[in-house]
Amino acid sequence: MKKLFITALFMAIISLSFAQIDKNFLSIEGGVGFGQLYGNDYVTSHQTMRTCPQIGVGFFAPIGEKLYFTTGFDYTKKGAWDITIAYQENSTTMYRSAFTDDYKYVTLPFMIGYQTPGKFSLGISGGFYMGILMQHQYEVTTGFLGIGITKTDTEDYNFLDLGAQGQIVLRLHANENTFVFLGITHQQGLSNTYTKELYEGGSLKTTTTYLNFGVGFAI
């Protein structure tokens, strides 16, 4: 997985080196969305969507007149509410119940997009993302006053979360060096985030949709 991460970074650098760049932009952005986990019927039926914050910086490099390459670094929290995970351990089904399930990632998107011209421009992009797991926590509630206790079990989860990413964004260009934007970003996890064998098979994957906003500056 780490070799795949290094290869993807190398490919991104090559893409930028061959791009016909007129002007690069750095953006400061944030967002909030809804996420959940999926992978088998048991996981889907024992959870609900939860709110997921995101904050980070983006890099925008035009390729020709209408195409662009974009990447960046985001701090992203994913997960679900009220989830019970069932897994196999020594042929025995084990259960881990939680009130919240939080994945904390540094996420790197790599996308190619198309942008319309004009003061108001519409951008549509697609590609993939890599989430580097910083920490996994879950919260359980006690019988005494319903107090929540947070536990950390990062070692039970995989280092990388890999998946497809798409974005639709509307940009308002104040001038040739500055724009503000509002967009919708969807990340569909394709890799298994859990190291243990799940009950009923399958895998534990993330999916999240964000409403993003921010400002970009020419660099």
Side-chain angles (χ1 to χ4, degrees):
M1 299 291 277
K2 291 184 179 179
K3 290 183 178 179
L4 177 62
F5 171 68
I6 294 172
T7 300
L9 284 178
F10 181 69
M11 290 174 62
I13 293 171
I14 292 176
S15 297
L16 284 175
S17 66
F18 284 96
Q20 299 175 17
I21 301 172
D22 295 320
K23 194 168 287 188
N24 297 329
F25 283 85
L26 171 70
S27 64
I28 301 172
E29 55 191 64
V32 64
F34 292 93
Q36 60 186 121
L37 304 174
Y38 75 102
N40 65 30
D41 292 339
Y42 186 90
V43 170
T44 301
S45 62
H46 286 80
Q47 62 158 319
T48 57
M49 290 190 299
R50 67 156 300 159
T51 54
C52 299
Q54 180 189 47
I55 188 170
V57 296
F59 300 94
F60 174 92
I63 304 174
E65 294 182 0
K66 296 181 180 180
L67 297 180
Y68 61 90
F69 170 82
T70 183
T71 183
F73 300 92
D74 298 315
Y75 171 79
T76 306
K77 185 165 74 171
K78 300 182 178 182
W81 294 107
D82 304 315
I83 186 166
T84 298
I85 295 176
Y87 60 94
Q88 302 292 126
E89 191 170 280
N90 298 324
S91 300
T92 301
T93 302
M94 309 291 289
Y95 297 90
R96 194 222 66 188
S97 298
F99 178 64
T100 64
D101 215 306
D102 292 333
Y103 297 79
K104 299 176 182 179
Y105 288 109
V106 171
T107 303
L108 293 83
F110 301 93
M111 295 187 293
I112 298 293
Y114 172 86
Q115 177 175 283
T116 62
K119 186 177 181 64
F120 288 94
S121 64
L122 179 66
I124 301 175
S125 57
F128 69 97
Y129 75 88
M130 292 186 294
I132 303 170
L133 183 64
M134 308 304 293
Q135 186 182 66
H136 183 275
Q137 292 182 323
Y138 66 98
E139 181 182 293
V140 295
T141 54
T142 66
F144 180 71
L145 300 178
I147 297 174
I149 298 176
T150 300
K151 298 184 178 181
T152 301
D153 60 346
T154 309
E155 67 279 1
D156 291 337
Y157 291 81
N158 289 316
F159 175 69
L160 290 180
D161 174 29
L162 304 175
Q165 178 164 325
Q167 184 180 65
I168 300 176
V169 60
L170 179 64
R171 298 184 180 92
L172 169 60
H173 300 264
N175 52 55
E176 63 180 10
N177 295 315
T178 309
F179 63 78
V180 294
F181 68 90
L182 177 67
I184 297 176
T185 302
H186 179 73
Q187 294 179 342
Q188 187 73 28
L190 300 176
S191 64
N192 186 12
T193 64
Y194 205 40
T195 61
K196 299 182 179 181
E197 179 185 355
L198 289 178
Y199 169 69
E200 293 187 352
S203 54
L204 197 62
K205 303 175 184 179
T206 65
T207 178
T208 316
T209 301
Y210 297 97
L211 179 66
N212 306 94
F213 53 90
V215 58
F217 307 93
I219 54 175

